[in-house]
Amino acid sequence: MALTGKLTKKLVENLSAGRHGDGGGLYLVVDPSGARRWIVRVVVKGQRNLKGAPLRTDFGLGGADVVTLNSARDRALEYRRMAKQGLNPRFNAKREIPCFQEVAAQVHIERLPTWKNVKHGAQWIATLRDYAFPKIGRMPVDSIGQPEVLMCLSPIWTDKHETARRLAQRIKTVLDVAKSKGFRSGENPVTSIQDAQVLPKVKAMPKHHSAMAWQGVPGFYADLKTRDAMAAKALMFTCLTGSRTGEVLGMQWSEVDVEARLWTCPADRMKGGVLHRVPLSDQMLAILGHLRTMQSNYVFEGQKRHSPLSNMAMLMLLRRMQVEGVTVHGFRSTFRDWAAEVANAPREVAEMSLAHKVGSDVERAYARSDLLEKRRALMCDWSDFCDGR
């Protein structure tokens, strides 16, 4: 029997939803979601179904992202030979089970478009590469149970608990995908471990970003104003707005409305995934006014034209200024302390200024306002304070 058919590698990758025949009972099934899998239809010689007709059965051969066209043809040929001999492939075929590392790599590729940034995708696979692949990477996914998962989690469960927690979630995802492709059966061992509370409880200690006391901000800001570096301008703007580093560095001129004195950060750049409007004070507008003449796509341009400033630039500036024990993110805490201790701002106004969620889901559903004008007054007072007015 020939191992060639109607399909090609390009067709396998691009065919639309439906069932597409290769010949000899082999089909590529493309789901509406875009998922692609192989099935083979055979008639087992001498065997009948419940109605007395020849036993015709479909068998899954695995996902097309893991099983290549040639491999699918090889397996289809093997199934047809068994069926011709009167052997039911369901009980006689030996499937090629991919190893954990192969499935993990495919999951990583498939989910790249869903992550907010490349860095998160790199961290996702790096966690598995560092802590799972050395121990279970080459094991077939159908042979991984609780003991194998515990081999990965136990050594770091206490000392690196947050990493271990993420590792468990990522192992679980890989094994769930393997099951959906027909390479595993039964309950996910990660779920079993969690339900049985096999691993000890670890009390997570909250980590706070080192912050400057609000009393020291005017002097620090005055020092920043004497510096011409782009990092200094970005740090001034970050301090005044109470925004996150990535939100400021990714800021583009198309997001700024000078007449409305408003910066609108789109949802896809916000940590919470919700659009955030930032009222612009006189000091903020002054910073932007000096930068607009550069005619860059980004407000805070880096060393390369039309590219943003490096996310390490502001931190390195703090080090050059010999400001010890302070992080860029910590200025959000500084603002929050000032808002409570000096401005006596209502909690919801201060929290919304930091783009934090306020109240329960139900409360947020009814409270549609983002309190922009109240936040505008607060941010102007904060800008005046930072500027030593």
Side-chain angles (χ1 to χ4, degrees):
M1 299 181 185
L3 292 181
T4 57
K6 300 176 183 177
L7 298 178
T8 63
K9 182 183 177 188
K10 188 172 183 179
L11 284 173
V12 169
E13 294 173 350
N14 295 290
L15 282 170
S16 57
R19 178 181 288 211
H20 309 281
D22 182 59
L26 177 63
Y27 295 90
L28 172 70
V29 178
V30 182
D31 296 331
S33 65
R36 297 163 191 273
R37 53 196 167 86
W38 297 108
I39 65 167
V40 60
R41 171 169 291 183
V42 298
V43 178
V44 183
K45 181 181 178 181
Q47 296 187 23
R48 304 280 175 176
N49 61 22
L50 295 177
K51 295 182 179 180
L55 181 61
R56 179 182 289 108
T57 313
D58 289 350
F59 296 96
L61 303 179
D65 52 0
V66 177
V67 180
T68 66
L69 174 58
N70 286 335
S71 294
R73 286 171 176 164
D74 287 338
R75 294 188 194 179
L77 177 59
E78 176 192 356
Y79 279 38
R80 291 199 300 273
R81 283 173 173 164
M82 282 189 287
K84 274 201 159 192
Q85 298 170 21
L87 301 174
N88 191 322
R90 187 180 304 282
F91 309 109
N92 295 276
K94 293 183 179 179
R95 296 190 62 190
E96 294 179 15
I97 302 296
C99 66
F100 179 86
Q101 186 168 333
E102 290 171 335
V103 179
Q106 189 60 45
V107 173
H108 177 238
I109 292 171
E110 289 174 348
R111 300 200 173 196
L112 278 177
T114 68
W115 284 311
K116 285 187 176 181
N117 54 62
V118 176
K119 182 179 178 182
H120 179 70
Q123 290 173 338
W124 193 92
I125 197 68
T127 305
L128 294 171
R129 183 188 64 231
D130 294 342
Y131 300 104
F133 291 174
K135 297 180 179 179
I136 64 173
R138 302 313 304 170
M139 293 182 64
V141 286
D142 65 342
S143 63
I144 295 173
Q146 291 188 45
E148 290 72 30
V149 172
L150 287 171
M151 280 195 306
C152 303
L153 299 179
S154 295
I156 61 171
W157 187 253
T158 303
D159 296 338
K160 300 179 180 179
H161 182 66
E162 183 60 24
T163 300
R165 188 187 65 79
R166 292 176 181 173
L167 175 63
Q169 184 59 42
R170 289 162 192 177
I171 292 175
K172 180 179 183 298
T173 297
V174 173
L175 296 181
D176 279 342
V177 171
K179 181 178 180 180
S180 72
K181 295 180 182 295
F183 296 124
R184 284 182 59 85
S185 60
E187 188 176 16
N188 194 306
V190 177
T191 303
S192 302
I193 289 170
Q194 292 170 339
D195 291 347
Q197 299 183 350
V198 175
L199 292 164
K201 288 186 177 181
V202 178
K203 187 175 181 180
M205 299 300 291
K207 293 183 179 180
H208 300 290
H209 292 273
S210 301
M212 179 180 289
W214 59 262
Q215 294 89 339
V217 172
F220 170 76
Y221 191 84
D223 188 350
L224 279 179
K225 288 177 70 175
T226 66
R227 299 171 184 268
D228 294 327
M230 182 63 74
K233 307 302 180 187
L235 188 51
M236 289 167 63
F237 194 82
T238 302
C239 181
L240 294 178
T241 59
S243 299
R244 299 178 180 89
T245 300
E247 295 161 9
V248 171
L249 297 186
M251 183 180 179
Q252 299 187 40
W253 287 110
S254 58
E255 301 169 4
V256 178
D257 186 336
V258 175
E259 291 187 6
R261 300 172 69 91
L262 204 63
W263 164 36
T264 303
C265 191
D268 60 1
R269 291 207 303 105
M270 294 298 301
K271 181 179 179 180
V274 178
L275 177 146
H276 181 56
R277 298 193 297 171
V278 179
L280 299 174
S281 65
D282 290 340
Q283 291 84 348
M284 299 175 199
L285 289 170
I287 295 170
L288 298 180
H290 291 302
L291 298 175
R292 187 178 285 277
T293 56
M294 297 181 63
Q295 296 183 331
S296 172
N297 293 337
Y298 288 90
V299 175
F300 300 101
E301 188 176 63
Q303 294 182 345
K304 293 183 179 180
R305 184 64 174 158
H306 299 303
S307 295
L309 195 66
S310 164
N311 61 2
M312 287 295 292
M314 291 189 283
L315 180 59
M316 296 306 295
L317 174 61
L318 286 174
R319 292 177 181 175
R320 289 196 300 273
M321 295 173 69
Q322 298 183 335
V323 179
E324 302 293 338
V326 172
T327 64
V328 178
H329 194 89
F331 284 105
R332 288 167 57 81
S333 297
T334 303
F335 163 76
R336 188 64 182 86
D337 291 342
W338 173 87
E341 297 178 23
V342 180
N344 293 318
R347 175 181 176 274
E348 62 271 19
V349 176
E351 290 294 302
M352 283 189 178
S353 296
L354 295 171
H356 285 164
K357 291 182 178 180
V358 179
S360 65
D361 291 342
V362 174
E363 289 173 321
R364 288 196 297 274
Y366 283 96
R368 300 298 177 89
S369 171
D370 62 359
L371 305 179
L372 178 64
E373 294 310 315
K374 290 184 178 181
R375 291 192 291 113
R376 186 184 297 279
L378 178 64
M379 299 312 291
C380 287
D381 288 346
W382 168 244
S383 293
D384 286 345
F385 171 76
C386 293
D387 203 18
R389 295 187 182 180

